[in-house]
Amino acid sequence: MRELIDWYRVFDRIPEIMGLELVRNGKMWEGRYYLNGDVHPYRMDKLKCKIYQSMVFVYEQGGESVSLPEWLVTYGGAKDYKEAYERIRGVKLMPPQKHEVRVKSTLYVSRDVLDAARGYDLHRCNLFNWMCTMFPEQRVMQVWNEYNVTTDWKGNAVFWYTDKKGRILHDKRIYYGTDGHRDKDTGAGRKFRVGDGYSGRCYFGEHLIQEGRKTAVVESEKTCLLFRLYYNCPVIATGGKGNIHGLTGDFALYPDIDAVEEWSKDGADVRQWWKDYTDVLGDKADIGDLIVFLCKNKKNDYFCKK
């Protein structure tokens, strides 16, 4: 009979199993690492571990999510899944170490992959259908195409991260409900993963930055699309609250309300979009929530009707 694993007991031993210096924060472990084990220069909570549906998942804030056994095999030094489960059960442990990235060279996703992904009907994606309730369908489709957003057979929204040179670095797959909200407990997925060599990093929509024109910066990919649809101006997304550092150029930042302090460092151009709307939007909203509010309440809705 197959041995059952008490994942809650396993969760208490996460730092020794992964060989990383992590800090317990309630029902989550956090650490200063990227998903592949490289040390992050400043974020103390970039890597996160939590239990979901009787399994421990490891994810990079704003990035990929994998199960603990998969992480151990891909990034944690386990030679196979048998060894991974031995470490999980406590039969075999490895001392804390700097995990090596197995593939050193950066790979790029073929443009043919994106072209094939465009073959999936966007109407199978809840996020696309939800946006079409506020904006004309053809306009939504135009923006999704210019930002290289597709769907897949599961109905995920697939965001293809494309750098300034037009190279596709990786995908990011998120499932949204019919109300436009995502289930944050499941995290985001990737088919083209860091562990397989797709280790390049860029901002979402970076290929659309126009020299000489101010670009808006928001946190999430969904907010980026809403911003483009409503204001019709250049906008990119960081993909996570803590990914703003190192951004240089002519940018105007539109942080989520709970990221205002962090994004206001170094004299950044932070726009106070939330000033008159905190009472109706709450204290954890983003400008995407404001755009939805304005559309539903027919306020300043020029681009909703265009």
Side-chain angles (χ1 to χ4, degrees):
M1 182 176 179
R2 186 173 181 177
E3 179 185 354
L4 296 178
I5 296 176
D6 185 339
W7 289 103
Y8 289 92
R9 287 192 176 184
V10 169
F11 193 71
D12 291 334
R13 299 171 35 246
I14 286 295
E16 71 177 41
I17 292 172
M18 297 179 67
L20 300 177
E21 295 181 6
L22 304 174
V23 175
R24 186 75 173 262
N25 183 6
K27 297 181 179 180
M28 186 177 301
W29 288 96
E30 299 177 336
R32 188 181 173 182
Y33 303 94
Y34 291 108
L35 186 66
N36 64 2
D38 286 345
V39 177
H40 194 279
Y42 56 87
R43 280 289 299 274
M44 303 304 293
D45 61 346
K46 185 65 173 174
L47 188 76
K48 297 177 182 290
C49 305
K50 66 187 302 184
I51 292 181
Y52 178 72
Q53 293 185 345
S54 301
M55 171 61 77
V56 176
F57 282 88
V58 185
Y59 67 98
E60 181 180 307
Q61 183 65 38
E64 183 182 352
S65 173
V66 298
S67 68
L68 178 60
E70 186 175 1
W71 187 91
L72 290 171
V73 171
T74 307
Y75 308 112
K79 65 182 180 181
D80 51 31
Y81 279 95
K82 180 176 181 295
E83 183 174 308
Y85 277 99
E86 287 178 343
R87 289 174 62 177
I88 288 170
R89 295 187 180 94
V91 176
K92 181 176 182 179
L93 293 178
M94 299 178 68
Q97 58 183 319
K98 174 66 178 66
H99 302 300
E100 294 184 0
V101 182
R102 297 187 178 183
V103 182
K104 299 298 182 181
S105 59
T106 300
L107 300 179
Y108 302 100
V109 181
S110 168
R111 181 66 58 167
D112 292 340
V113 173
L114 173 60
D115 292 340
R118 293 194 193 280
Y120 283 103
D121 183 0
L122 290 176
H123 291 95
R124 67 167 60 222
C125 179
N126 288 332
L127 183 65
F128 178 81
N129 294 327
W130 174 75
M131 288 187 177
C132 290
T133 64
M134 294 177 288
F135 302 94
E137 182 176 315
Q138 286 303 115
R139 174 62 177 155
V140 177
M141 189 169 294
Q142 176 189 5
V143 169
W144 279 49
N145 283 336
E146 68 181 6
Y147 274 86
N148 293 340
V149 187
T150 64
T151 187
D152 58 17
W153 67 276
K154 293 182 178 180
N156 291 305
V158 184
F159 306 98
W160 298 94
Y161 272 66
T162 309
D163 66 12
K164 294 177 182 177
K165 296 182 178 180
R167 300 174 299 193
I168 304 173
L169 304 187
H170 62 81
D171 56 332
K172 183 174 180 181
R173 299 166 188 258
I174 302 176
Y175 187 80
Y176 293 86
T178 55
D179 60 356
H181 293 297
R182 59 177 287 189
D183 182 356
K184 294 188 176 181
D185 286 334
T186 61
R190 280 173 59 168
K191 181 177 180 180
F192 298 90
R193 299 178 175 181
V194 173
D196 296 324
Y198 298 93
S199 56
R201 299 177 185 275
C202 71
Y203 294 105
F204 175 69
E206 185 177 295
H207 62 294
L208 298 174
I209 293 176
Q210 301 176 24
E211 191 170 342
R213 188 176 180 187
K214 187 179 288 291
T215 301
V217 183
V218 299
E219 181 175 327
S220 77
E221 299 85 0
K222 169 186 155 184
T223 300
C224 181
L225 298 176
L226 288 171
F227 197 104
R228 176 64 173 165
L229 284 165
Y230 194 79
Y231 295 109
N232 199 29
C233 67
V235 55
I236 62 173
T238 63
K241 181 169 68 174
N243 297 344
I244 196 65
H245 299 271
L247 186 65
T248 59
D250 191 12
F251 297 101
L253 312 186
Y254 292 81
D256 294 6
I257 292 180
D258 62 358
V260 172
E261 182 178 350
E262 183 171 349
W263 283 33
S264 297
K265 296 176 181 177
D266 305 320
D269 177 8
V270 177
R271 303 298 172 93
Q272 298 185 20
W273 62 268
W274 61 87
K275 190 174 181 181
D276 299 320
Y277 293 96
T278 52
D279 289 342
V280 294
L281 297 178
D283 58 1
K284 291 187 178 180
D286 58 43
I287 195 169
D289 297 316
L290 173 60
I291 292 170
V292 172
F293 172 80
L294 294 175
C295 284
K296 290 184 176 180
N297 290 276
K298 307 299 182 183
K299 297 183 178 181
N300 191 24
D301 59 351
Y302 173 73
F303 289 109
C304 292
K305 293 180 178 179
K306 189 175 180 179

